[in-house]
Amino acid sequence: MQIDLWEKTIEQVRVSLPSAAQLWLDYITFESCDDNCVNLSCASKMQLDNFNKFCKPQVQNTLDELNGSHLNLNIFVVHPAAEKKESKVKASGKKENIAQEKKSDSMLNPIYTFENFITCESTLFAYNAALSIAMNPGINYNPCLIYGGVGLGKTHLLESIGNYIEKETPRKKVIYVTAETFTNDYIDALGDKKMASFRVKYRKADVLLIDDIHFLEEKIQTQEELFHTFNDLYESQKQIVFTCDRPINELKGFTERIKSRFVRGLNINLTAPDYETRVAILRKKCESKRVTINSAVINYMAENIKTNVRDLEGSLTTLIAYSNLIGKDITLDIAREQLKNIIATPMVSEQDISISSIVREVASYYNVEVSEIKSKKRTKVIIDARNVAIYIARKITQYSTTEIGNYFDRDHSTITHSIDKVEKEVKINADLSSSIESIEQTIRKKAK
Ligand code: ADP
Ligand code: MG
């Protein structure tokens, strides 16, 4: 077997793989071969695992076919980055200082890594894109926005990028903050007249990771400062990744200048996991916690907890804690009993509830016609019903404000205005708040 047989194999396999999987071929290097085996290498265990998962079967088949007989594939992990890093650190004798300085600045939680992010069809694109950013910061996908509802893994992916870079390229300065911390830092700097050091702190980042950027909605001054930080870093090809609970162009009161830059960058949408993914996540989490839960219980949880990974994890923790306390394995009956609060009133995802079912329920509650809610009529009761329907649609489904706007035939800013109005009103109007609660319960019951 020759290297060109290997190259032919790769060429053929590449066109047959989905593009998200092709990435893993590029990390494999041909080393040597003989009549029985091919020796390959890659740079990390993660590359190896992903190659094995997404490419190896096709590579093996094609190789055997082109060769005319079976060849063993041996793949070794060699770690050039780690070796270089080690020798640099030794030469300067500053290993601990670097580690400590990094830790205090970046505030990353080490539990969030690519290794323990579970991939499946719906998360593979997000995972690959984030990993690609971590491997080549500032080069491929800049800026990048990871968006989606709560508990879907935004923070996990964002911090994985930071942890990966800190480990593989410690000389790169990673700054990870929540948008809230960024705002507080900015306000403190203003108060203490320390803007210069604030700017130095953020602008010396090679990688700036800001979590939950929606927190900056309406905070015009902080946004302005962020815009300058952003520009500075972007122009020097430093990597910028933000997370947000919705697409950035749906943020109200957000500077158009930042929005337009993100629209041109990479936007990754994390969506609620499907049934198979929920089962896979539960199984993987059991594995890593070293507990065994029978598959009837796993299936029951996956069927009923559809919202997000955080809820799945929380439910699993509840069951494990209970099982430890009573010293017994979890049965289906125990799971039903222990999870009844979570499963009885679940948040419902867009797959389960349509906007029209919400409008029907709101119309019946307010005693108006569905067509009136969707019409341009402006009598008080119809406006109230319309606003409540819009508010509930945003609250209990994952439809974006743009999608909700399409349904009501209104533009995005009218929709956000309605949501704002009800949001403010429920805080001070107990009647409205309990009306909404009761409408939501009826909608959920009917959706089940
Ligand atoms: P978000 O920031 O979107 O609200 P998080 O990143 O905090 O969500 O995720 C919530 C929890 O779910 C975390 O414990 C995270 O580790 C876990 N999680 C989310 N997605 C995955 C996934 N694909 N694989 C493994 N764990 C996940
Ligand atoms: Mg988060």
Side-chain angles (χ1 to χ4, degrees):
M1 135 110 195
Q2 305 287 323
I3 182 165
D4 45 325
L5 180 57
W6 170 251
E7 278 166 2
K8 254 189 221 144
T9 304
I10 292 299
E11 217 173 281
Q12 277 197 22
V13 172
R14 190 183 299 282
V15 290
S16 71
L17 287 176
S19 55
Q22 286 172 16
L23 171 77
W24 302 110
L25 285 177
D26 298 334
Y27 296 113
I28 301 296
T29 309
F30 176 87
E31 297 288 346
S32 64
C33 62
D34 59 30
D35 290 345
N36 302 317
C37 66
V38 183
N39 299 315
L40 309 167
S41 70
C42 61
S44 71
K45 165 126 183 1
M46 186 195 318
Q47 292 173 6
L48 174 66
D49 289 347
N50 283 295
F51 173 80
N52 285 341
K53 188 165 163 193
F54 299 114
C55 319
K56 191 173 174 191
Q58 287 91 331
V59 168
Q60 184 76 66
N61 286 344
T62 312
L63 189 63
D64 292 352
E65 217 168 80
L66 291 175
N67 186 52
S69 63
H70 178 71
L71 285 166
N72 287 327
L73 278 181
N74 301 323
I75 313 165
F76 305 96
V77 178
V78 288
H79 220 311
E83 279 159 22
K84 258 188 252 149
K85 175 170 80 188
E86 194 58 24
S87 60
K88 261 189 210 152
V89 168
K90 273 189 188 140
S92 65
K94 283 185 183 162
K95 183 174 181 173
E96 273 175 6
N97 288 351
I98 291 179
Q100 267 170 13
E101 192 193 326
K102 291 264 151 205
K103 214 171 171 187
S104 59
D105 265 8
S106 69
M107 308 293 286
L108 288 161
N109 185 336
I111 66 163
Y112 293 128
T113 63
F114 287 115
E115 278 83 0
N116 59 25
F117 188 85
I118 295 156
T119 51
C120 51
E121 234 176 278
S122 65
T123 52
L124 185 61
F125 171 72
Y127 171 87
N128 277 347
L131 184 59
S132 175
I133 288 171
M135 285 171 161
N136 302 293
I139 296 173
N140 288 339
Y141 304 118
N142 202 20
C144 168
L145 180 82
I146 303 171
Y147 71 92
V150 291
L152 294 178
K154 300 183 298 294
T155 299
H156 190 134
L157 272 184
L158 186 71
E159 294 207 39
S160 299
I161 295 175
N163 280 319
Y164 184 97
I165 297 173
E166 287 208 329
K167 184 162 167 240
E168 298 298 326
T169 338
R171 73 197 141 71
K172 285 210 189 283
K173 180 114 199 130
V174 177
I175 295 190
Y176 163 83
V177 282
T178 61
E180 188 175 0
T181 303
F182 183 86
T183 308
N184 291 339
D185 269 9
Y186 173 66
I187 293 169
D188 289 348
L190 273 181
D192 300 344
K193 305 206 173 2
K194 285 186 178 153
M195 278 317 291
S197 57
F198 171 88
R199 288 183 179 141
V200 168
K201 172 179 168 188
Y202 284 99
R203 293 179 199 185
K204 74 181 174 194
D206 292 300
V207 180
L208 178 63
L209 310 172
I210 303 190
D211 208 358
D212 294 334
I213 201 78
H214 47 267
F215 181 82
L216 296 187
E217 259 187 331
E218 316 285 2
K219 299 190 174 63
I220 304 299
Q221 268 199 63
T222 315
Q223 285 178 31
E224 188 64 19
E225 187 57 37
L226 179 68
F227 177 73
H228 294 302
T229 308
F230 179 102
N231 267 354
D232 226 58
L233 295 176
Y234 184 73
E235 272 158 26
S236 350
Q237 293 184 314
K238 307 295 188 187
Q239 181 70 50
I240 298 153
V241 188
F242 292 171
T243 69
C244 188
D245 67 355
R246 66 206 97 146
I248 206 155
N249 55 5
E250 288 188 9
L251 288 180
K252 313 160 261 178
F254 211 83
T255 158
E256 287 302 323
R257 297 185 295 180
I258 295 190
K259 281 189 191 174
S260 69
R261 274 167 172 73
F262 270 92
V263 167
R264 276 183 265 131
L266 177 71
N267 288 271
I268 302 174
N269 183 11
L270 282 174
T271 50
D274 57 21
Y275 175 76
E276 286 75 16
T277 310
R278 298 198 292 272
V279 171
I281 288 174
L282 287 168
R283 288 202 181 130
K284 240 340 199 307
K285 301 266 172 193
C286 286
E287 223 175 276
S288 68
K289 291 174 196 280
R290 295 180 209 282
V291 293
T292 316
I293 292 191
N294 78 48
S295 46
V297 173
I298 297 275
N299 295 347
Y300 170 73
M301 293 171 75
E303 268 162 26
N304 290 286
I305 306 165
K306 302 174 181 174
T307 43
N308 61 51
V309 185
R310 183 173 295 149
D311 290 349
L312 277 177
E313 254 185 5
S315 307
L316 190 62
T317 310
T318 305
L319 289 187
I320 294 171
Y322 186 76
S323 157
N324 287 340
L325 276 175
I326 60 165
K328 281 190 191 155
D329 286 349
I330 298 292
T331 60
L332 201 49
D333 283 343
I334 293 179
R336 283 206 181 98
E337 178 59 25
Q338 287 304 307
L339 302 179
K340 66 173 187 257
N341 291 340
I342 301 168
I343 290 176
T345 51
M347 276 285 287
V348 194
S349 65
E350 69 191 76
Q351 288 97 324
D352 303 295
I353 289 187
S354 61
I355 302 178
S356 51
S357 68
I358 294 173
V359 173
R360 261 199 314 278
E361 221 37 64
V362 173
S364 124
Y365 189 91
Y366 280 85
N367 207 9
V368 298
E369 294 296 322
V370 168
S371 57
E372 288 178 310
I373 292 192
K374 292 178 74 177
S375 74
K376 306 279 175 209
K377 279 193 190 161
R378 299 204 50 81
T379 41
K380 179 160 179 352
V381 62
I382 293 171
I383 294 178
D384 286 351
R386 187 179 298 135
N387 286 346
V388 165
I390 290 171
Y391 170 82
I392 294 179
R394 183 68 184 125
K395 186 172 164 209
I396 70 170
T397 75
Q398 291 182 5
Y399 288 109
S400 66
T401 43
T402 309
E403 286 164 327
I404 297 171
N406 291 341
Y407 180 90
F408 286 92
D409 194 19
R410 276 154 170 90
D411 66 16
H412 169 255
S413 63
T414 312
I415 297 297
T416 49
H417 178 73
S418 297
I419 296 169
D420 273 1
K421 196 157 181 294
V422 180
E423 236 163 35
K424 282 191 190 123
E425 185 75 17
V426 285
K427 286 189 189 134
I428 48 171
N429 181 341
D431 286 348
L432 177 66
S433 165
S434 71
S435 298
I436 289 178
E437 178 78 5
S438 129
I439 297 170
E440 278 177 26
Q441 265 178 17
T442 319
I443 295 168
R444 285 199 175 102
K445 252 186 237 144
K446 290 193 179 166
K448 280 176 120 193

